[in-house]
Amino acid sequence: MILLSSSSSSNILLSHTNLAATNHRRPLISHYLQSPPPRINRRVHLHAPWETSLLFPRPRTSVTYAATAGAWFQDAGATAAVMAGGYGFVKAFDTLTEKDIIPQKLSRKPVHIFSGLLFVISWPIFSTCTEARYFASLVPLVNCLRLLINGLSLTSDQGLVKSVTRQGNPQELLRGPLYYVVVLILCVLFFWRESPIGLVSVSMMCGGDGIADIMGRRFGSMKIPYNKEKSFAGSISMFVFGFLISIGMLYYYSVMGYFELDWTLTIQKIALVSLVPTMVESLPINKLVDDNISVPLSTAISTYILL
């Protein structure tokens, strides 16, 4: 038997105690390999069924309500301003036509060209709210109702009739002018500021087709062989001005931050797009399909395919 001194036994006991404490603080690697890692209890907030349901959306906070109310207030003000500006613009030409200061054939073209373009240019003043497009659509919708009321002779506005019709017949309001505002409504609702399709379609209908008629009447002595009612001057003007206005509109919206475009490729494609409605407009189909339908429709299709 080996006898240990008290000091030696105490040292051995102390070393065993320290080793046990160390092992308690730092488990062996095999402990991690053999035992699963400890679970961490995390508190997860589960919404009640009525909070996540589509039928019962989560209630909005006061901040959300305030932001929505502010956006609607902005859109209502923008709608009133654009509507007042558009009405004043058309009314000015109504007055000039009624007083025979400018001829009827000349007055309708500035209205055709600038009404739609100015309306599209005004879109950025509306809010980023989802409902903004519906507020904007009220502008052409009111004009649509105005054309219907006067076209059906429910009321008489001779200034409007003279400024936007060719022959001064109220029933003409139910054709070209009515199709014009319907196209604006469709462009607002379906394309708005997210797509260049509406911008290019309005540019070709208003700028391209409108200027083509002016240039064709003034310099259109050389007629197109397959359509004697159309001239080379008018078709060339439609292509050039429709292309330039479309590019200008896209540039305006890209500067406003709505589009990021490769301009080298965009210019080439817009040139091809402009050629399609120019060719369609030159065809002898204007008695079957109005230009305010064929031009924006062909433009929208070609823009969708190419862009």
Side-chain angles (χ1 to χ4, degrees):
M1 178 181 295
I2 300 174
L3 298 177
L4 297 176
S5 63
S6 61
S7 59
S8 300
S9 60
S10 61
N11 290 336
I12 293 174
L13 179 61
L14 180 62
S15 63
H16 279 286
T17 303
N18 292 336
L19 179 60
T22 303
N23 290 337
H24 176 72
R25 290 194 305 269
R26 300 176 60 184
L28 297 175
I29 296 177
S30 60
H31 173 76
Y32 287 110
L33 296 178
Q34 296 174 1
S35 303
R39 294 182 179 180
I40 301 176
N41 294 325
R42 294 176 179 173
R43 182 175 297 177
V44 179
H45 176 69
L46 297 178
H47 298 291
W50 57 83
E51 291 183 307
T52 57
S53 173
L54 294 176
L55 296 178
F56 302 96
R58 295 180 61 188
R60 293 181 176 180
T61 63
S62 58
V63 176
T64 305
Y65 276 120
T68 303
W72 286 7
F73 182 79
Q74 176 184 347
D75 293 333
T79 301
V82 174
M83 196 175 296
Y87 179 81
F89 178 79
V90 176
K91 188 64 178 178
F93 282 93
D94 292 352
T95 304
L96 293 174
T97 307
E98 280 185 336
K99 295 182 178 180
D100 295 327
I101 297 177
I102 59 176
Q104 180 176 339
K105 291 183 179 181
L106 181 62
S107 68
R108 57 184 294 272
K109 278 306 164 184
V111 173
H112 178 96
I113 294 171
F114 292 105
S115 293
L117 295 179
L118 293 175
F119 174 59
V120 173
I121 290 173
S122 71
W123 289 355
I125 70 175
F126 290 84
S127 73
T128 57
C129 187
T130 305
E131 294 81 5
R133 69 178 67 202
Y134 304 113
F135 279 92
S137 66
L138 294 176
V139 178
L141 180 60
V142 169
N143 289 322
C144 181
L145 296 176
R146 188 183 176 199
L147 293 173
L148 287 172
I149 291 172
N150 286 272
L152 296 173
S153 299
L154 300 177
T155 186
S156 180
D157 188 344
Q158 292 300 319
L160 175 66
V161 173
K162 288 184 178 181
S163 63
V164 300
T165 61
R166 296 177 182 270
Q167 306 297 330
N169 186 353
Q171 293 183 352
E172 291 184 56
L173 298 175
L174 302 177
R175 294 191 287 272
L178 182 62
Y179 305 149
Y180 182 94
V181 295
V182 169
V183 169
L184 295 181
I185 294 173
L186 295 177
C187 287
V188 171
L189 295 178
F190 289 98
F191 303 117
W192 192 220
R193 298 173 298 205
E194 294 95 4
S195 172
I197 296 177
L199 303 178
V200 179
S201 299
V202 173
S203 298
M204 291 301 302
M205 180 184 70
C206 299
D209 187 38
I211 296 177
D213 186 65
I214 296 175
M215 301 300 290
R217 292 179 184 275
R218 187 173 181 85
F219 306 105
S221 57
M222 187 178 296
K223 302 297 181 180
I224 297 177
Y226 54 84
N227 188 2
K228 298 300 181 181
E229 295 184 0
K230 303 292 182 179
S231 64
F232 284 105
S235 294
I236 293 173
S237 299
M238 178 174 178
F239 172 77
V240 173
F241 285 95
F243 167 77
L244 293 177
I245 294 173
S246 298
I247 290 295
M249 196 69 71
L250 292 177
Y251 179 76
Y252 168 69
Y253 271 83
S254 67
V255 170
M256 299 296 291
Y258 293 100
F259 299 133
E260 291 183 3
L261 300 172
D262 180 353
W263 284 106
T264 302
L265 191 60
T266 299
I267 290 174
Q268 297 173 2
K269 290 186 175 182
I270 292 298
L272 293 175
V273 168
S274 302
L275 183 62
V276 173
T278 300
M279 296 300 298
V280 171
E281 194 269 346
S282 69
L283 298 175
I285 59 173
N286 58 328
K287 292 183 179 180
L288 299 175
V289 182
D290 192 271
D291 290 345
N292 289 337
I293 296 177
S294 61
V295 170
L297 180 60
S298 59
T299 304
I301 295 173
S302 58
T303 305
Y304 175 78
I305 294 173
L306 292 174
L307 289 181

